[in-house]
Amino acid sequence: MKEKLLIHQEVNLPNAFDIKDFKLFYRDIDLFRLSKKQGTPLRFTYLPSILEKIDEMKSHFNKAIRTTSYQGTYTYYYCTKSSHFQHIIKKALQADIGIEISSAYDIDLIQSLIEDGYVKKGTKIICNGYKTSDYQRGIMSLIKQNHCAVTPMVDSPSELIYYCNNINSNTSLNVGIRVNLSFLSAYPKESRFGISPEDIITCYQRDIKHNQQITLTTLHFFNENGLSSDDQYWDVLEAIVRFYCQLKRLNPHLTTLDIGGGMPFQSTANEYFDLPFLVKRIVSTILGICQQECVPEPDIVTEFGKYTVAEATTTIFKIQEKKQGEKINWAIIDGSFITHLPDTWAIQQEYPVFAVNNLQEENSPFILGGLTCDSADVYPNVKEHKTVMLPHSDQEQFVAFMHTGAYQEALSGFGGVNHCLIPSPKHIIIDKGDSDELEFTTFSEKQTSDQLLKILGYR
């Protein structure tokens, strides 16, 4: 059946998907039957995928460390802003990872997980982002609680001064500092994140070197273009590792390099990333520079969010109508890209898209349109790919957007008022029980008119 599909359209189904009886299956789940039973728009999250992705990346790094005789360690952190939902973070924590947070309310989220027993004593917490006064107070409260191993990632000199002034006499604090990448000739000069290398050295010598309670252990950077195989990423990595070596010679307590996030996920059907090669090149690059600089290689930390959760979730729509246009045919979905998949119009994000049923039919090109009256409510929203292939059939048709688990609900505003009052979709959670059988639970029903009117003050 896969060969039959390839005759119509050259695509590579992700490993978790298959075709049976001319219908799309995900891990032996009949998506046509699921769509009919649960209704659409429908979002489902398959939680075991999260553990698989974490274990996969740990394996890549540990193998690279072993084969290169790298002397440092590797620690995986989950970036909560990709998806803050409890079922996501609870599942990720089962893989023995650290957590990276970025706002004051994240402190309350961590505290709730501690109280419920999901965050074990000694769990590593990285506090990233700009620190408001509430966020700073929350970090200090978490440190004084002494349940987690908390490392604030200093983003400005004033933040460091706050810790120096508020750490009590019987508490020690490990901190990291984020590097502002504007010092690099090929990097945009407008970056507001972090501290310049010169100011990092000044802060260390002035505020940390002789402070018996605060230790600078970590240097952090994040390339906003993400991890990739192009020269720009490797130029940035080399410059940061060389600065790490410079700072290490001044500060022997520096042990860790946090390379941030940006590990790619599969965003189109035919996309392929050689992740083992990419990871090995990261490890080999750091090792080679440290050997040149005669500096011990650092422990490596990553903060992967989208990579962790994107591929766990699929969003399914029903085609309401197929309309013949002047130059192209339209297929109208029973949802909205602006509401349900906001990245498709905000940053022109692509996703693997497949018809769920009628796969015995020949395919025809369509543009998918949402229910709103906005011209931007379309997919695809990129010049390179202008259509989606759908079965040329008048039968009931469903279409699945894969790998939609990162950011979409947070950006659209889960539980709130969406554009044109398009309701949030039903969301179900799929997990495995003790007997390894699939368990389906409803996380949230499709939003109702009464719920929306209450938010708007009509009830």
Side-chain angles (χ1 to χ4, degrees):
M1 184 56 218
K2 285 189 177 181
E3 290 75 11
K4 174 79 172 177
L5 181 67
L6 295 179
I7 293 172
H8 302 316
Q9 179 189 10
E10 290 188 5
V11 296
N12 295 315
L13 282 174
N15 290 335
F17 293 85
D18 201 357
I19 296 170
K20 302 176 185 178
D21 299 325
F22 306 111
K23 297 190 292 291
L24 187 66
F25 280 67
Y26 173 78
R27 299 176 187 263
D28 292 327
I29 301 169
D30 184 337
L31 297 188
F32 178 70
R33 182 179 179 185
L34 184 71
S35 302
K36 294 282 288 182
K37 179 179 180 180
Q38 300 290 344
T40 56
L42 175 67
R43 196 189 306 269
F44 72 83
T45 298
Y46 182 80
L47 292 180
S49 170
I50 294 170
L51 298 182
E52 292 173 7
K53 299 299 289 185
I54 295 173
D55 289 343
E56 175 188 59
M57 190 53 57
K58 283 184 175 182
S59 176
H60 293 332
F61 268 96
N62 290 332
K63 183 177 179 180
I65 287 171
R66 185 172 62 254
T67 56
T68 59
S69 298
Y70 191 93
Q71 295 304 300
T73 63
Y74 170 68
T75 304
Y76 189 111
Y77 284 74
Y78 170 62
C79 169
T80 60
K81 66 175 179 279
S82 296
S83 179
H84 283 99
F85 290 107
Q86 188 196 56
H87 53 265
I88 297 290
I89 299 179
K90 280 170 52 180
K91 181 60 67 171
L93 283 167
Q94 293 178 15
D96 188 25
I97 61 169
I99 295 293
E100 185 260 348
I101 64 175
S102 55
S103 75
Y105 284 0
D106 269 319
I107 300 291
D108 296 328
L109 181 153
I110 295 298
Q111 189 60 50
S112 175
L113 290 168
I114 291 172
E115 292 170 359
D116 291 341
Y118 298 114
V119 171
K120 306 300 183 183
K121 187 172 180 60
T123 298
K124 296 178 180 179
I125 308 289
I126 284 176
C127 304
N128 251 326
Y130 184 83
K131 315 301 190 302
T132 63
S133 56
D134 285 345
Y135 192 7
Q136 289 174 342
R137 286 193 293 269
I139 290 171
M140 292 306 301
S141 174
L142 205 57
I143 290 168
K144 292 173 182 177
Q145 187 178 352
N146 198 32
H147 183 85
C148 300
V150 181
T151 302
M153 210 61 65
V154 174
D155 196 71
S156 67
S158 63
E159 180 188 344
L160 180 58
I161 295 300
Y162 174 85
Y163 301 133
C164 291
N165 292 339
N166 287 275
I167 194 79
N168 59 41
S169 58
N170 58 357
T171 302
S172 60
L173 173 61
N174 292 332
V175 300
I177 295 182
R178 178 169 181 169
V179 184
N180 184 296
L181 299 181
S182 296
F183 76 99
L184 299 169
S185 59
Y187 205 82
K189 304 304 177 186
E190 301 84 13
S191 176
R192 70 185 188 276
F193 303 109
I195 306 174
S196 71
E198 294 82 0
D199 288 343
I200 289 175
I201 292 174
T202 299
C203 287
Y204 168 73
Q205 292 177 330
R206 182 189 64 204
D207 303 316
I208 299 176
K209 184 175 182 179
H210 302 294
N211 191 319
Q212 299 300 310
Q213 293 172 270
I214 297 181
T215 304
L216 174 59
T217 62
T218 305
L219 187 69
H220 168 52
F221 82 99
F222 176 58
N223 186 346
E224 293 172 43
N225 294 326
L227 285 156
S228 68
S229 56
D230 62 32
D231 291 340
Q232 192 265 0
Y233 178 79
W234 303 106
D235 290 344
V236 171
L237 180 61
E238 178 177 353
I240 294 299
V241 176
R242 292 200 184 278
F243 176 63
Y244 173 91
C245 294
Q246 178 186 355
L247 189 58
K248 173 72 172 178
R249 283 190 282 266
L250 296 174
N251 171 28
H253 300 292
L254 188 67
T255 60
T256 304
L257 180 65
D258 182 347
I259 67 174
M263 183 62 71
F265 74 104
Q266 187 179 17
S267 59
T268 63
N270 291 327
E271 195 169 28
Y272 172 75
F273 299 100
D274 190 344
L275 297 185
F277 174 80
L278 187 59
V279 169
K280 187 173 182 180
R281 186 173 177 185
I282 291 170
V283 173
S284 299
T285 298
I286 298 172
L287 175 61
I289 295 171
C290 288
Q291 289 176 337
Q292 292 174 14
E293 298 279 350
C294 299
V295 167
E297 51 266 43
D299 296 333
I300 300 173
V301 162
T302 62
E303 304 166 358
F304 295 145
K306 185 176 287 189
Y307 165 84
T308 308
V309 298
E311 296 182 18
T313 297
T314 295
T315 304
I316 302 177
F317 301 104
K318 182 179 178 179
I319 301 300
Q320 292 285 97
E321 181 182 0
K322 292 178 179 177
K323 299 175 65 176
Q324 185 172 352
E326 186 69 26
K327 293 184 178 180
I328 190 69
N329 293 330
W330 289 88
I332 310 302
I333 64 170
D334 62 348
S336 164
F337 298 106
I338 293 176
T339 292
H340 299 139
L341 298 175
D343 268 353
T344 60
W345 63 271
I347 60 172
Q348 287 73 57
Q349 178 67 58
E350 294 183 272
Y351 296 103
V353 182
F354 298 108
V356 169
N357 58 315
N358 299 320
L359 298 180
Q360 75 276 16
E361 304 291 342
E362 293 289 339
N363 281 349
S364 297
F366 288 87
I367 297 177
L368 301 181
L371 293 178
T372 73
C373 54
D374 290 84
S375 59
D377 197 1
V378 299
Y379 187 91
N381 209 342
V382 294
K383 294 180 180 179
E384 294 80 7
H385 302 99
K386 297 183 178 180
T387 60
V388 169
M389 302 300 290
L390 293 178
H392 189 72
S393 171
D394 294 329
Q395 299 299 311
E396 184 178 44
Q397 184 66 59
F398 295 92
V399 60
F401 282 70
M402 319 298 190
H403 304 170
T404 59
Y407 294 107
Q408 300 318 289
E409 289 151 311
L411 293 174
S412 62
F414 178 78
V417 175
N418 292 309
H419 185 49
C420 289
L421 297 188
I422 303 297
S424 297
K426 184 174 185 177
H427 191 161
I428 61 174
I429 308 300
I430 305 173
D431 204 353
K432 288 186 176 181
D434 294 336
S435 60
D436 219 31
E437 291 188 3
L438 294 181
E439 298 177 343
F440 294 75
T441 58
T442 297
F443 177 71
S444 61
E445 295 286 356
K446 183 178 178 180
Q447 206 172 24
T448 66
S449 174
D450 281 346
Q451 290 170 331
L452 291 172
L453 291 177
K454 184 176 181 179
I455 293 171
L456 292 169
Y458 291 95
R459 292 284 189 267

